[in-house]
Amino acid sequence: MSEIESLQKDVPSFDPPEEFVAGSAVSGRAAYDELCQRAAADPEGFWAWQAERLHWFRKWDKVLKWTPPFAQWFVGGQTNVAYNCLDRHLTTSRKDKAAIIWEGEPGDQRVYTYAMLHLEVCRFANGLKKLGIGRGDRVGLYMPMVPEAAIAMLACARIGATHSVVFGGFSADALRERMNDAKAKAIITADGGYRKGKPFPLKAQVDASLEGSTTVESVIVLRRTNEAVDMVAGRDHDWDDLVAGVSDYCPAEPLDSEHPLFILYTSGSTGKPKGVLHTTGGYLTQASMTCRWVFDLKDTDTYWCTADVGWVTGHSYVVFGPLAVGATTVMYEGVPNYPDAGRFWDIVDRHRVTIFYTAPTAIRAFMKWGDEWPAKHKLDSLRLLGTVGEPINPEAWLWYHRMIGHERCPIVDTWWQTETGGIMISPLPGAVATKPGSATLPLPGIDAAVVDRDGNEVGADEGGLLVIRKPWPGMLRTLWGDDERYRSTYWSDIENTYFAGDGARRDADGYFWIMGRVDDVVNVSGHRLGTAEVESALVSHPAVVEAAVIGRPDDLTGQALVAFVTLGPGFESGPEFGQELCAHVTKEIGAIAKPAEIRFTDALPKTRSGKIMRRLLREIATSRTVKGDTTTLEDQAALDSLAKQYDDG
Ligand code: WTA
């Protein structure tokens, strides 16, 4: 693992536009460097300075208690996430500012001001209390992307209940497994939501998940689609009935800084999902700092992060971070191509969105759907773009920059994980020059490095493990109920160092290039290659819309690269075209990166959050069948047709 070889060619660099340098929270490269030095010289002082921007009922006694690998931040301090996201804005001019602008997929819209959101959160919190839910309880959420999802999260935080959001696309079995692990006392759900122009059910899955033994005593059901649902007397409660007659005010509980805020399950490479635990004061400190610095969020911004609240991005950058800094956050319920592939751009234009944050997989989908969709819209309100979730190939980055940002908007490529709680590596838009495909530099206070298996930093352009060497406030505290797994998963590869699976290299400017998960690294003839780089090379061919590259065992070369490729309209797949693509990769990277095999496919198997499931592709390419866990798969048909291709030869 010590030398993932990187063969990617040099790419252009974009300086922060002048308006950004002049007007942003961190203004100019020197300001960024100074913050980094300040944080390195006195990390605890630096983070305390950031935490001071929050409201504390009681100030902490100690900034950090670090007993590796267990951290406690702002020890002895008392605060409340909902208070910080709502109450403290009510005594300012933000009281009547839009907190959430929501649009349903069918086109219905709602706007909540901070005062209105506060009221709804208080009322729902009182509803939860009526059911005996309070401090120390776990509450599951299984919701569509509606404002009530945010209201429920904030209501839990207000009374000290720990929420665990399960993405609405997960199956009943997946929901059951997570709720049992968390020992949830209640589940908040809806009859359903809208997706691809149709209602989809949620309550029915909740019912199925509760068959057999369960700790769940209550189910709260929001009416969204008004499709018929079964209500179990005594257990199930209508959201509206629950809040009817409750008081309009519910005090925000002063909670210990280390009080569990939420558990979010994320899949490991093997075994049962991991319950990543985040707590209160440190998490919010990092979520809000990154909103101010990375997204440069100002009171005049209309900010839209397209993530679902079922993922960590929806927690930190749809709900908690933006509301903590008093921003206007846009929520959209549905898919990007309903009723047509221009929906996102239509939303941007109508709501005058200024900051737009999405995933590379979405950007590649837009590229595939064609330039005419963004071209039909003005997109002139935008000033900053962001990406998250996987390495963005330079072609997609440049398309995003040109077609969406009109070469005016900086792009923040933000590297972080469910486990890190908040953004870790990203350009600050008014300070750090960007290079397409690079997440650039760590944020001040984040001690990221690329190291070999022994923990020694590798040289420029040498690949290695991406690690974090100092604790940071947003870090996960443990895996719920499994300290040992926490230790062995993240802290056992290199002593007292956090490592969560990504390979990376730094270039001569110190910029980080994330090379994908280390299990996505392939060794061909003794050369280690990041599959993301090969994918990026493939996607740089004008015909290729999306590509996934995996390694399969090969007698001669150790491993061989297999590329699964989706072509754009008007291109004919076939053996000749495969050769052309191989020649293209050879040209872009070198002959050693040339795929041994190219498979054309209409769609790649993905998780519902849009990550390509390379694990399944690896199985298909090696054993021609899939026996592994497919519960997170979005589209079974994509997988079936690939497997069939192999059977047909
Ligand atoms: C990948 C999402 C490259 C990475 C917030 C990480 C990225 C995993 C980037 C975490 C990025 C996320 N560039 N890779 N900007 N952002 N990743 O937990 O492999 O859903 O380990 O958190 O996504 O995914 P998760």
Side-chain angles (χ1 to χ4, degrees), residues 20-86:
F20 260 90
V21 181
S24 63
V26 179
S27 172
R29 178 64 193 251
Y32 163 80
D33 289 337
E34 209 180 293
L35 284 168
C36 290
Q37 277 152 22
R38 174 175 177 174
D42 176 14
E44 293 183 21
F46 171 82
W47 288 116
W49 171 51
Q50 290 305 315
E52 273 155 18
R53 304 189 67 122
L54 301 179
H55 170 271
W56 294 84
F57 296 105
R58 181 186 189 278
K59 198 167 170 183
W60 55 87
D61 306 312
K62 194 170 166 33
V63 174
L64 171 65
K65 195 168 159 220
W66 178 226
T67 320
F70 299 99
Q72 290 177 44
W73 282 89
F74 311 113
V75 186
Q78 291 187 340
T79 183
N80 184 291
V81 166
Y83 188 95
N84 276 284
C85 290
L86 301 167

Side-chain angles (χ1 to χ4, degrees), residues 500-518:
D502 282 328
R505 74 179 163 97
R506 298 184 82 165
D507 66 17
D509 297 325
Y511 276 42
F512 284 76
W513 296 79
I514 314 297
M515 300 167 78
R517 306 293 297 197
V518 167

Side-chain angles (χ1 to χ4, degrees), residues 45 81 138 212 225 280 301 366 370 402 443 467 471 477 485 502 521 523 531 550 569 578 581 586 591 593 597 640 645:
V81 166
R138 263 87 51 215
T225 59
T280 300
D301 278 312
F366 291 124
R402 187 180 76 249
L443 301 189
V467 297
R477 297 304 193 260
R485 189 175 180 200
D502 282 328
V521 168
N523 187 332
T531 51
I550 52 103
L581 290 182
T586 304
E597 204 182 312
D640 292 343
Q645 259 193 44

Side-chain angles (χ1 to χ4, degrees), residues 152-174:
M153 290 162 80
L154 290 161
C156 288
R158 195 165 186 86
I159 61 174
T162 301
H163 62 68
S164 182
V165 186
V166 176
F167 176 61
F170 276 116
S171 66
D173 287 345

Side-chain angles (χ1 to χ4, degrees), residues 69-262:
F70 299 99
Q72 290 177 44
W73 282 89
F74 311 113
V75 186
Q78 291 187 340
T79 183
N80 184 291
V81 166
Y83 188 95
N84 276 284
C85 290
L86 301 167
D87 304 51
R88 65 173 172 151
H89 303 311
L90 300 186
T91 52
T92 73
S93 57
R94 289 177 184 144
K95 174 173 168 263
D96 296 321
K97 173 183 175 173
I100 295 178
I101 295 178
W102 172 81
E103 191 163 307
E105 196 189 65
D108 42 344
Q109 297 185 19
R110 273 188 270 158
V111 177
Y112 288 84
T113 64
Y114 274 93
M116 290 160 76
L117 191 62
H118 176 261
L119 179 71
E120 296 298 329
V121 168
C122 282
R123 292 176 58 82
F124 190 64
N126 282 329
L128 292 175
K129 282 186 180 171
K130 263 192 357 198
L131 297 177
I133 295 162
R135 193 188 287 228
D137 292 326
R138 263 87 51 215
V139 175
L141 263 75
Y142 189 64
M143 303 276 286
M145 272 297 277
V146 290
E148 286 83 355
I151 290 168
M153 290 162 80
L154 290 161
C156 288
R158 195 165 186 86
I159 61 174
T162 301
H163 62 68
S164 182
V165 186
V166 176
F167 176 61
F170 276 116
S171 66
D173 287 345
L175 178 63
R176 179 190 300 116
E177 185 178 23
R178 287 160 176 74
M179 294 298 96
N180 285 348
D181 188 75
K183 299 197 173 57
K185 190 166 176 182
I187 295 181
I188 304 165
T189 188
D191 43 11
Y194 290 96
R195 206 181 130 78
K196 297 183 186 166
K198 288 194 294 277
F200 66 90
L202 288 169
K203 174 63 165 61
Q205 270 86 296
V206 172
D207 291 340
S209 81
L210 294 179
E211 283 163 16
S213 75
T214 173
T215 52
V216 174
E217 295 164 13
S218 315
V219 177
I220 301 161
V221 185
L222 176 80
R223 303 290 169 163
R224 163 69 185 131
T225 59
N226 291 314
E227 304 272 301
V229 294
D230 293 331
M231 296 292 277
V232 176
R235 186 194 73 184
D236 298 356
H237 308 267
D238 221 294
W239 177 299
D240 289 342
D241 296 343
L242 187 69
V243 297
V246 299
S247 156
D248 285 347
Y249 181 67
C250 168
E253 299 257 337
L255 298 170
D256 193 275
S257 175
E258 283 298 331
H259 187 80
L261 175 64
F262 67 86

Side-chain angles (χ1 to χ4, degrees), residues 312-313 388-391 413-419 500 502 514 517 611:
V312 72
T313 309
V388 60
E390 52 178 315
D413 174 354
T414 62
W415 178 86
W416 59 296
Q417 306 174 303
T418 303
E419 291 88 344
D502 282 328
I514 314 297
R517 306 293 297 197
K611 284 200 207 321

